[in-house]
């Protein structure tokens, strides 16, 4: 079975109630391919998840931007995977580079989070990617492999995982990876999964690209054989997100 194109919108820590209402209206009115062709998942900040979920067109889904590493309890300020499941939130983004860098989330911690979230029934968009220094040092694949290995060691079933390759130097910088750069890492990552997990998981797991994706660059990226969709930050707050969804067609 082919890999269905996947477009995620990461709203990060942005938006007021009014802005959220406008974004949802734009999403609901946009012309997009059928859900047989593209899976669309938007990720508002926690506080807006219930309202977005209830107002969003039915074929689009929602994701949380994070969740706690284990069962909820005395962890002030955290949101647990069980709460997301309880609210009917199907997806969660884990391992985003902003959390790895700003909040010190290690590869192992991200692996634990992915495993716990999956065990509770969530689907996971797991982010990996190298910094500019790491790319310039020639260690892109070592970094991405180590991040993926920390996840692979903790999980058995990959059917509810989407891998997001997000080079840190491309996130929010306007400096998108070239289609060739993205394809090179996606193909190597798929090979890594083939060797270290299984050929079946390698064939079926979607590997999406994130980092300064826009309406202007999405078509060329989407044409790469191992680019199975996008995780979009800044542009997911704008009407051009509809054009990016249409890159699937
Ligand atoms: C992201 O935050 O996941 C992202 C890809 O951001 P941007 O599209 O703004 O680079």
């Amino acid at each position: 079975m082919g890999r269905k194109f996947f477009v995620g919108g990461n709203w990060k820590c942005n938006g007021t109630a009014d802005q959220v209402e406008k974004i949802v209206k734009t999403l609901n009115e946009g012309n997009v391919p059928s859900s047989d062709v593209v899976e669309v998942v938007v990720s508002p900040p926690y506080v807006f998840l219930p309202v977005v979920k209830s107002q969003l067109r039915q074929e689009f889904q929602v994701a949380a931007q994070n969740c706690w590493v284990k069962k909820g309890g005395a962890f002030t300020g955290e949101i647990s995977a069980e709460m997301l499941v309880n609210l009917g939130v199907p997806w969660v983004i884990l391992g985003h580079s902003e959390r790895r860098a700003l909040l010190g989330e290690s590869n192992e911690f991200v692996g634990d989070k992915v495993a716990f979230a999956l065990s509770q029934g969530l689907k996971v968009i797991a982010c990996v990617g190298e910094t500019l220094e790491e790319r310039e040092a020639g260690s892109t694949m070592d970094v991405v492999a180590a991040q993926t290995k920390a996840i692979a060691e903790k999980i058995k079933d990959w059917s509810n995982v989407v891998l997001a390759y997000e080079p840190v130097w491309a996130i929010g910088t306007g400096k998108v990876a070239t289609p060739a750069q993205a394809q090179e890492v996606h193909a190597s990552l798929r090979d890594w999964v083939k060797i270290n997990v299984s050929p079946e998981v390698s064939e079926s797991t979607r590997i999406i690209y994130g980092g300064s994706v826009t309406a202007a660059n999405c078509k060329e990226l989407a044409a790469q054989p191992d680019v199975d969709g996008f995780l979009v930050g800044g542009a997911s707050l704008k009407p051009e997100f509809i054009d990016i969804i249409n890159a699937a067609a």
Side-chain angles (χ1 to χ4, degrees):
M1 202 182 75
R3 298 183 293 267
K4 192 195 283 187
F5 205 79
F6 183 102
V7 179
N10 174 15
W11 297 2
K12 312 196 192 203
C13 187
N14 288 300
T16 61
D18 282 355
Q19 288 165 340
V20 164
E21 199 178 313
K22 282 198 189 103
I23 298 169
V24 170
K25 189 168 184 290
T26 304
L27 292 174
N28 288 349
E29 289 172 355
N31 274 326
V32 295
S34 102
S35 56
D36 295 338
V37 173
V38 60
E39 186 165 9
V40 179
V41 177
V42 298
S43 189
Y46 285 132
V47 290
F48 298 123
L49 271 170
V51 70
V52 172
K53 183 177 154 50
S54 70
Q55 290 178 7
L56 196 60
R57 61 200 293 170
Q58 161 267 312
E59 71 269 36
F60 287 6
Q61 303 168 79
V62 291
Q65 295 175 16
N66 178 43
C67 65
W68 182 232
V69 66
K70 54 185 172 182
K71 197 168 151 35
F75 306 105
T76 303
E78 290 294 335
I79 305 285
S80 72
E82 312 90 89
M83 291 172 194
L84 297 175
V85 171
N86 182 247
L87 285 184
V89 174
W91 287 90
V92 63
I93 298 172
L94 294 172
H96 192 280
S97 65
E98 285 154 12
R99 297 195 62 86
R100 289 179 188 266
L102 302 172
L103 295 154
E105 293 196 0
S106 67
N107 291 353
E108 202 196 5
F109 189 64
V110 172
D112 285 337
K113 279 190 173 191
V114 172
F116 186 74
L118 291 174
S119 79
Q120 298 306 297
L122 288 173
K123 300 179 188 186
V124 174
I125 301 165
C127 304
V128 297
E130 82 290 0
T131 63
L132 184 60
E133 297 71 49
E134 289 163 342
R135 172 162 283 263
E136 286 174 351
S139 49
T140 296
M141 244 344 269
D142 293 343
V143 170
V144 168
Q147 291 168 335
T148 311
K149 181 167 181 271
I151 295 167
E153 282 172 349
K154 305 270 167 63
I155 70 170
K156 284 202 168 63
D157 183 357
W158 283 74
S159 51
N160 287 329
V161 179
V162 167
L163 278 174
Y165 168 58
E166 298 209 298
V168 180
W169 48 270
I171 295 184
T173 58
K175 239 198 226 176
V176 64
T178 64
Q181 281 173 323
Q183 171 57 24
E184 185 185 19
V185 179
H186 284 226
S188 303
L189 183 52
R190 199 175 301 288
D191 260 0
W192 188 95
V193 174
K194 185 176 181 181
I195 293 161
N196 295 281
V197 181
S198 75
E200 294 72 28
V201 169
S202 159
E203 204 37 55
S204 60
T205 301
R206 283 156 313 167
I207 305 180
I208 62 174
Y209 168 80
S212 297
V213 174
T214 62
N217 59 34
C218 63
K219 275 273 178 200
E220 248 194 303
L221 285 160
Q224 302 305 306
D226 288 293
V227 173
D228 303 317
F230 302 116
L231 183 56
V232 184
S236 71
L237 299 162
K238 302 179 189 162
E240 73 180 291
F241 189 60
I242 295 292
D243 300 320
I244 297 171
I245 296 169
N246 276 286

